[in-house]
Amino acid sequence: MFKNKILAAGLLMLFMCTAGCRSIDDGKSSSGNMGTNAGMDGSVGREEATIANVMHGGSSVHIVAAGDNMVQTGVVNSAASHAEEGGYNFGFCYEGAKDIISRGDVKIINQETLICDNEDIEISHSNRNFNSPVEVGSALIDTGFNVFSMANNHILDKGVGGLESCMTYWEKMKGNYHGLITYGVYKNEADMNNIRVCEMGGIKIAFLAYTENVNSYDYLEDSEIQVVLTSEEEKIKSQIEAAHTIADAVIVSAHWGNEDSFEVSESVKQLAQNMVDWGADVILGTHPHVPQTMEYLTRPDGTQGFVFYSLGNFISSQTYNINLIGEIAEFDIAADVDNNISVKNVQVSPVITHFEGADYEELRVIPYRDYTEELCSAHGLSQVSGVAPYNEWSMEKIKEIIDTGIPAEYQKLD
């Protein structure tokens, strides 16, 4: 079991952007990222910036969130086949979703696989043994993502050493790309207590992340690295409540639930309600690898939060039709004149992982709005899956899956 440490409120810090929240700068700067770190006593010291993005009005921030970035064999092979001089071109895989991602000020994704900054750690991309090429991270950033949830069941696929290497990789990326946030995996307790917060348009947003399990590998008994499990509810409650003392809104990423199921378990529903009652304004669910429903949840005082129970896969080379359709969620976090926070304008754009042939050729993300009968007919699902009804693929079947996972009032199909 993870070390059960009590949150020290006195150590709690926030990271917030103070430079007008401009777009991510992909150049290097000798002065480092611009930002501050404000303590609970109001003191301020220099720290790395978090978000640096375009303001979306004085009282509203537009959020875009995608599900699991599952960099499996087919994804890697497709990226390799589109690289001009060796290496990997993951930009090809993500290009189709780029304009949807660009609509957000804050753009969040669950990075499901490790990216280890160590040549001695094997690149691998199947089963419970993931380590992705370093090109994945830069491609996601180029696609527009600037906030990365790290808490998921694959974080120990390469042991504690692999996780440490992955954390080193993202620290380097934050040095090269101003404004990146990673959250959910922390180098020690003090780092965990530095709750990641961005400020734009006068609204401060905090980010927290939890995972249901870490694939039954040895836990972090002998490491200072901190990851919080969804079973550690007292710690989650403390963190959410603490986050609300330093931010206006709290976004929680929750890696939970039953894989390959549209049904949301009662335990997940109860935890979602608890998180909202404790102060979560938005919950971004991942892990089931299928799109699941979403809803507003009401607190005892009548205010509401919103939960996406599962965003499904952003990309993968899984072999069930339900795994090949995911959600890109969009919503506004709005503040009224009294700084009361609400979640508005929720909509979901379905995306499809398309590939052709038994070798997953041309694998890439394509928004549903751009998907055609011609592409549908060329899809290679029937060649890699013989399991009925999960090998069925047609425009009608795709729409059936969308209607099963995404309530009609939130569908954005054009």
Side-chain angles (χ1 to χ4, degrees):
M1 181 177 292
F2 288 107
K3 285 171 261 184
N4 193 8
K5 300 176 181 176
I6 298 173
L7 277 176
L11 291 175
L12 195 60
M13 304 254 204
L14 69 89
F15 290 84
M16 75 183 174
C17 165
T18 61
C21 293
R22 294 180 289 274
S23 60
I24 283 180
D25 177 7
D26 61 2
K28 296 182 180 180
S29 169
S30 59
S31 62
N33 291 338
M34 296 179 62
T36 63
N37 189 20
M40 291 295 289
D41 60 357
S43 61
V44 176
R46 295 293 298 175
E47 274 290 353
E48 290 185 353
T50 52
I51 290 292
N53 212 311
V54 181
M55 283 201 305
H56 191 82
S59 61
S60 181
V61 179
H62 193 61
I63 314 292
V64 173
D68 295 328
N69 189 48
M70 287 286 293
V71 187
Q72 297 172 302
T73 301
V75 182
V76 174
N77 289 348
S78 181
S81 69
H82 288 87
E84 293 182 0
E85 298 180 1
Y88 304 92
N89 176 15
F90 288 98
F92 168 81
C93 303
Y94 304 134
E95 179 67 28
K98 195 169 186 177
D99 68 320
I100 297 177
I101 304 305
S102 71
R103 295 199 289 248
D105 303 324
V106 176
K107 293 159 281 192
I108 308 166
I109 192 167
N110 173 50
Q111 179 50 41
E112 182 85 358
T113 58
L114 293 169
I115 305 175
C116 296
D117 187 43
N118 186 335
E119 294 180 355
D120 294 331
I121 300 177
E122 177 190 15
I123 299 294
S124 51
H125 29 76
S126 62
N127 300 321
R128 294 182 175 183
N129 186 22
F130 288 106
N131 175 33
S132 300
V134 294
E135 289 89 343
V136 168
S138 55
L140 288 171
I141 293 167
D142 182 67
T143 302
F145 292 105
N146 51 21
V147 180
F148 295 84
S149 174
M150 308 297 292
N152 62 69
N153 57 302
H154 289 288
I155 58 172
L156 291 176
D157 278 10
K158 298 293 185 181
V160 173
L163 180 55
E164 290 174 340
S165 179
C166 181
M167 295 170 72
T168 297
Y169 168 80
W170 282 109
E171 286 304 309
K172 288 183 178 180
M173 296 300 280
K174 284 186 279 188
N176 293 336
Y177 295 88
H178 300 169
L180 293 183
I181 288 177
T182 63
Y183 63 110
V185 177
Y186 310 100
K187 59 186 178 181
N188 51 41
E189 186 174 7
D191 186 36
M192 180 177 68
N193 291 339
N194 283 343
I195 294 178
R196 277 52 170 175
V197 175
C198 81
E199 178 180 2
M200 63 177 62
I203 299 175
K204 298 184 182 74
I205 303 172
F207 302 92
L208 298 167
Y210 310 105
T211 182
E212 194 169 81
N213 63 75
V214 289
N215 283 348
S216 300
Y217 291 109
D218 291 338
Y219 293 115
L220 299 168
E221 292 284 358
D222 300 319
S223 173
E224 291 188 359
I225 294 175
Q226 297 290 313
V227 178
V228 179
L229 298 179
T230 55
S231 59
E232 299 180 87
E233 293 196 22
E234 286 303 314
K235 184 177 288 188
I236 293 171
K237 181 176 185 289
S238 295
Q239 288 188 332
I240 293 175
E241 291 176 345
H244 243 305
T245 69
I246 58 172
D248 303 302
V250 178
I251 293 178
V252 174
S253 292
H255 205 68
W256 58 9
N258 298 322
E259 295 188 13
D260 299 330
S261 174
F262 292 111
E263 298 298 321
V264 182
S265 69
E266 289 303 315
S267 61
V268 165
K269 289 181 180 179
Q270 185 59 60
L271 181 54
Q273 183 66 62
N274 289 345
M275 287 178 173
V276 169
D277 290 348
W278 298 331
D281 294 286
V282 178
I283 302 171
L284 304 174
T286 55
H287 181 61
H289 303 304
V290 302
Q292 290 182 346
T293 192
M294 58 209 67
E295 61 181 334
Y296 282 96
L297 297 177
T298 303
R299 303 183 183 96
D301 66 2
T303 61
Q304 293 183 311
F306 195 89
V307 56
F308 300 89
Y309 287 107
S310 172
L311 297 172
N313 289 329
F314 178 59
I315 199 169
S316 75
S317 55
Q318 291 188 284
T319 56
Y320 283 0
N321 51 17
I322 57 176
N323 302 140
L324 301 176
I325 298 170
E327 305 172 0
I328 297 181
E330 296 185 63
F331 53 92
D332 292 323
I333 292 181
D336 64 18
V337 293
D338 296 318
N339 207 36
N340 296 311
I341 295 295
S342 59
V343 181
K344 296 182 176 181
N345 304 319
V346 178
Q347 57 186 20
V348 172
S349 297
V351 289
I352 295 166
T353 295
H354 178 80
F355 60 84
E356 299 171 13
D359 294 326
Y360 300 91
E361 296 174 2
E362 303 297 307
L363 191 151
R364 62 198 188 276
V365 177
I366 300 177
Y368 174 77
R369 66 172 190 213
D370 298 328
Y371 209 65
T372 64
E373 287 280 4
E374 182 179 4
L375 286 166
C376 186
S377 298
H379 201 288
L381 178 63
S382 63
Q383 298 181 54
V384 300
S385 176
V387 180
Y390 300 113
N391 59 354
E392 297 177 15
W393 193 256
S394 66
M395 295 301 289
E396 293 75 21
K397 189 65 177 179
I398 293 168
K399 185 59 165 60
E400 176 188 322
I401 294 170
I402 290 171
D403 288 341
T404 301
I406 306 172
E409 63 265 35
Y410 300 122
Q411 293 180 11
K412 181 175 176 55
L413 305 182
D414 55 13

